[in-house]
Amino acid sequence: DPFFLYTLRISEEEFQAVKIDQSILVDFAEFPPRFLELLRSCLPNDDAETPSFAVSLVAGAISTSLQIVETNQFKNLTHLRLDMRAGNDAAVKRYLAGELAKTKFERDGLKNTLDQHTTESRTAHDTAEGTVAAARRHEAAAVQELNALKLEHAAACASLREQAVQLQQKMQAQNDADRSELARSHRDKETQLNLQIDELRQRFEAMASDKSQFQGESKELQMRVNTL
């Protein structure tokens, strides 16, 4: 209910009376943050199923009070009781106007944050798209360079294979020529040796014939000598 409003305004003098009446230990300046800590103690937490403190608004015949009570198995102990004042039409309007202004301020802050995040997101998106485009260009250039290197490598391999075939053919032709030259030289030497052998055979046969002739003449001379 947006029109459900209870307020409390307490001066330092009034606080002193409440402090004495309820045995409050904190001073006036420390009261607001301590009061908020006490209210937070009434909220559920993960450590306990139910909070040990409870806050309630108790309506009486004359006034309405806000009470913070510590509950246990022995008794309920009231730590703080503050008399509240029901908001009139002007107070409710002021409160709702303040809440509306606060909501508008929070909305504007959220809108500004959203706009900033949207701008940052758009900038990041544009940057990412630029990075992706640059990466794609680099990739295309790398692929083109790789294909050029592959073609160059294939051409170099083909040239090397052709040079290897030509060198092999040249070496084969040189080997064939060397073998032919060696065979011809061997044949020439063999022919020369055969000619030398034939010449030596002829000379041997001539020497053998001369030896036989000499032996015959020697025998004939020996016989002549013997007849004398």
Side-chain angles (χ1 to χ4, degrees), residues 77-171:
L77 179 62
T78 301
H79 282 265
L80 183 66
R81 185 183 68 256
L82 298 174
D83 292 332
M84 309 296 291
R85 181 181 301 172
N88 54 22
D89 184 66
V92 170
K93 288 180 180 180
R94 284 196 304 270
Y95 172 76
L96 292 179
E99 291 298 314
L100 179 60
K102 186 189 301 182
T103 303
K104 288 182 178 180
F105 179 78
E106 293 177 354
R107 183 200 62 184
D108 293 340
L110 291 175
K111 184 176 181 301
N112 292 333
T113 303
L114 178 61
D115 293 340
Q116 182 179 359
H117 288 172
T118 301
T119 302
E120 292 176 354
S121 177
R122 187 178 296 109
T123 303
H125 180 266
D126 294 340
T127 302
E129 284 188 347
T131 303
V132 170
R136 287 176 178 173
R137 289 194 299 270
H138 290 317
E139 181 183 6
V143 170
Q144 185 177 1
E145 183 177 359
L146 179 60
N147 292 332
L149 290 175
K150 286 181 178 179
L151 293 176
E152 184 179 354
H153 177 70
C157 290
S159 177
L160 289 175
R161 283 195 296 268
E162 184 178 358
Q163 292 177 7
V165 170
Q166 292 178 357
L167 180 60
Q168 183 179 5
Q169 292 176 352
K170 183 178 180 181
M171 292 178 64

Side-chain angles (χ1 to χ4, degrees), residues 206-222:
M207 291 175 65
S209 177
D210 292 341
K211 179 180 179 182
S212 298
Q213 185 178 355
F214 290 154
Q215 286 178 352
E217 290 178 354
S218 176
K219 288 180 181 182
E220 184 179 353
L221 291 175
Q222 187 67 36

Side-chain angles (χ1 to χ4, degrees), residues 1-66:
D1 185 2
F3 299 101
F4 182 83
L5 177 65
Y6 282 84
T7 62
L8 171 64
R9 291 182 179 273
I10 184 170
S11 64
E12 187 171 357
E13 291 77 8
E14 292 172 340
F15 175 76
Q16 294 299 326
V18 174
K19 179 179 179 180
I20 295 172
D21 181 59
Q22 301 186 30
S23 300
I24 298 174
L25 299 179
V26 298
D27 294 331
F28 181 73
E30 296 178 339
F31 178 71
R34 297 294 185 179
F35 177 64
L36 291 177
E37 290 181 5
L38 200 57
L39 287 177
R40 293 190 186 98
S41 301
C42 301
L43 298 175
N45 53 60
D46 297 334
D47 298 332
E49 295 181 358
T50 57
S52 58
F53 288 86
V55 59
S56 60
L57 191 65
V58 180
I62 300 176
S63 62
T64 301
S65 63
L66 179 71

